[in-house]
Amino acid sequence: GTCASDPPFGGPTEDPMPDLPPDLKQEAQDKFDALCDAARKTGLDLSIPEDLAGEMQGVLACSDFVARTGQRYPEVIAGLLESGDLHRRYPAGAFQDRLRAVLPVEAMDLAALEARLGSALRGLRRREMVRIAWRDLAGHADLAETVEDLSALADACIEGALAALYHGFCRDLGTPMGPTGKPQQLVVVGMGKLGARELNFSSDVDLIFAYPES
């Protein structure tokens, strides 16, 4: 694969983000070069469209998280660039749809289920946190969209984990029953910033687990 890093970020006569201090520009270039090296090792083509060069420079300069993720998982950056998701707002339910597409559905023992589920959740979180951070830093999303997306992503991960694990545990250990023998669905209540739909990038998620009846 190739990575268009020469000339850097659009060429010597263009300065896509002239407001960046020289040290940050160099840091962004170093991060971009490291991303390109990682992409080449996995055979990926990370040629950056000209209209995204300045945007990527700013994001890499301002986010170690995006840079580190790109270096460890260059396919995440390549997929986001190709999909167009960096420049569009998700509709309601998009995170649930994306998670359903990768959740394990076949019958397996609980240990295997938890391992597969963990891998699916980490992969979704990795991709979507990069997307949310990128849109925030590039100015494509305002604060309201950013905290709503972070909250919706957390919701989707919790709901997906609950659904997968509930069925697995019911299959292996039995279905929880109320006093009248009615099946009980575990209820998960999001507290604090998640309950208010105001998660930020460093928020903890506080949950309460309960059943409708004893």
Side-chain angles (χ1 to χ4, degrees):
T2 61
C3 195
S5 58
D6 184 20
F9 293 120
T13 61
E14 297 181 32
D15 194 349
M17 295 200 73
D19 294 332
L20 280 180
D23 288 349
L24 273 184
K25 289 182 181 180
Q26 186 57 54
E27 182 176 344
Q29 185 65 54
D30 292 344
K31 290 175 178 178
F32 182 70
D33 291 342
L35 173 59
C36 289
D37 289 342
R40 290 190 186 98
K41 291 176 182 177
T42 58
L44 287 174
D45 182 352
L46 263 186
S47 295
I48 309 303
E50 186 174 337
D51 59 341
L52 284 183
E55 187 172 303
M56 174 172 271
Q57 183 186 42
V59 171
L60 291 177
C62 296
S63 176
D64 289 337
F65 164 71
V66 172
R68 286 195 304 266
T69 301
Q71 291 165 28
R72 291 189 63 188
Y73 306 96
E75 68 276 7
V76 170
I77 304 298
L80 284 167
L81 290 170
E82 183 178 355
S83 69
D85 287 345
L86 296 172
H87 295 94
R88 71 182 187 93
R89 184 168 187 166
Y90 278 175
F95 293 115
Q96 284 85 349
D97 292 341
R98 289 181 175 276
L99 187 56
R100 277 193 290 268
V102 297
L103 281 179
V105 294
E106 63 270 25
M108 61 184 73
D109 63 64
L110 285 175
L113 174 62
E114 290 187 17
R116 286 280 301 278
L117 176 63
S119 177
L121 291 173
R122 286 189 296 272
L124 178 77
R125 179 186 182 279
R126 184 182 303 126
R127 181 190 192 277
E128 299 306 329
M129 288 289 279
V130 168
R131 173 190 167 272
I132 294 169
W134 186 301
R135 287 179 55 76
D136 178 33
L137 292 168
H140 300 313
D142 59 15
L143 177 62
E145 178 185 331
T146 298
V147 297
E148 172 59 32
D149 267 6
L150 290 167
S151 302
L153 174 60
D155 264 352
C157 290
I158 293 165
E159 291 171 5
L162 174 61
L165 292 174
Y166 180 82
H167 291 300
F169 273 86
C170 287
R171 182 191 66 236
D172 288 13
L173 304 177
T175 301
M177 298 290 184
T180 62
K182 180 180 179 181
Q184 298 288 293
Q185 172 66 54
L186 179 68
V187 178
V188 181
V189 182
M191 306 298 290
K193 290 183 179 179
L194 176 57
R197 315 296 293 177
E198 295 177 348
L199 280 189
N200 59 50
F201 287 100
S202 60
S203 294
D204 292 331
V205 174
D206 298 314
L207 305 174
I208 293 177
F209 299 89
Y211 284 98
E213 301 177 2
S214 298

